[in-house]
Amino acid sequence: MIIDNKTGRAFGPAAIFAGYIVFIAGFFFSWFAPIVVLIGASMAFSFKGTRIDTENKRYKSYTKIAGLFRHGKWADLSVMDEILINTTVEQYGAWSQTMRSTTFTEKNVKVVMQGETTDYSVPVKQCKTKELAIQEASKLSKLLHFRFETE
């Protein structure tokens, strides 16, 4: 069984907005329209994710480019042994032409796999609330036979 989850965007909000603009504008160019559309699509529709192959005991953190092509390598799942919940706050800032700053704050709750001997962690799923993340982490820990403790 393969579990496939989206874990976040590949670019920030400003780059995604610019990608939509470039994508739409690409249709109005003549000879290099396919290149412009491809650049815009890769900025607007790219995201990060994780696939877990439970039968072969492996996982892959990938970036899905333009929403079409997965890019990433499979790794051995045996180095991971614990499921955690990670809460982060991401801030994006933008400046207008009048030098006024605007800050966007986004709270993310992610289910993360981590190994006992490594400092490396792999985001598995992004959830909207901590309660939903606890449910998903509990299901995943039972499926993979990993340790998971709620606080």
Side-chain angles (χ1 to χ4, degrees):
M1 180 168 114
I2 293 182
I3 302 166
D4 192 357
N5 291 317
K6 184 176 174 181
T7 59
R9 298 183 294 235
F11 299 102
I16 291 172
F17 179 73
Y20 283 121
I21 299 298
V22 170
F23 179 74
I24 293 168
F27 291 107
F28 297 104
F29 291 105
S30 58
W31 60 276
F32 61 97
I35 296 169
V36 175
V37 167
L38 185 62
I39 291 170
S42 66
M43 289 174 65
F45 304 120
S46 294
F47 63 88
K48 294 180 181 182
T50 301
R51 297 185 88 188
I52 301 173
D53 186 355
T54 57
E55 294 171 2
N56 296 323
K57 302 290 183 192
R58 60 187 186 157
Y59 70 92
K60 174 171 42 173
S61 293
Y62 64 87
T63 301
K64 197 160 189 180
I65 302 167
L68 300 173
F69 310 104
R70 282 190 188 94
H71 176 51
K73 292 184 179 181
W74 288 102
D76 190 20
L77 194 60
S78 65
V79 297
M80 302 294 177
D81 68 345
E82 186 176 19
I83 302 288
L84 302 171
I85 295 177
N86 188 3
T87 304
T88 59
V89 177
E90 295 178 4
Q91 289 187 327
Y92 301 100
W95 292 86
S96 68
Q97 289 181 346
T98 59
M99 298 304 290
R100 292 185 180 155
S101 67
T102 303
T103 305
F104 304 99
T105 304
E106 189 176 273
K107 182 179 178 185
N108 293 317
V109 182
K110 291 185 181 180
V111 177
V112 177
M113 287 189 307
Q114 184 171 334
E116 187 175 304
T117 58
T118 63
D119 293 331
Y120 183 66
S121 63
V122 178
V124 176
K125 185 169 184 138
Q126 183 170 342
C127 300
K128 293 193 181 287
T129 64
K130 191 167 185 175
E131 291 78 22
L132 184 61
I134 289 171
Q135 289 175 358
E136 292 295 326
S138 178
K139 281 192 251 179
L140 191 63
S141 70
K142 288 176 186 170
L143 184 65
L144 298 175
H145 307 291
F146 283 2
R147 186 174 63 244
F148 172 65
E149 297 174 9
T150 58
E151 300 173 67

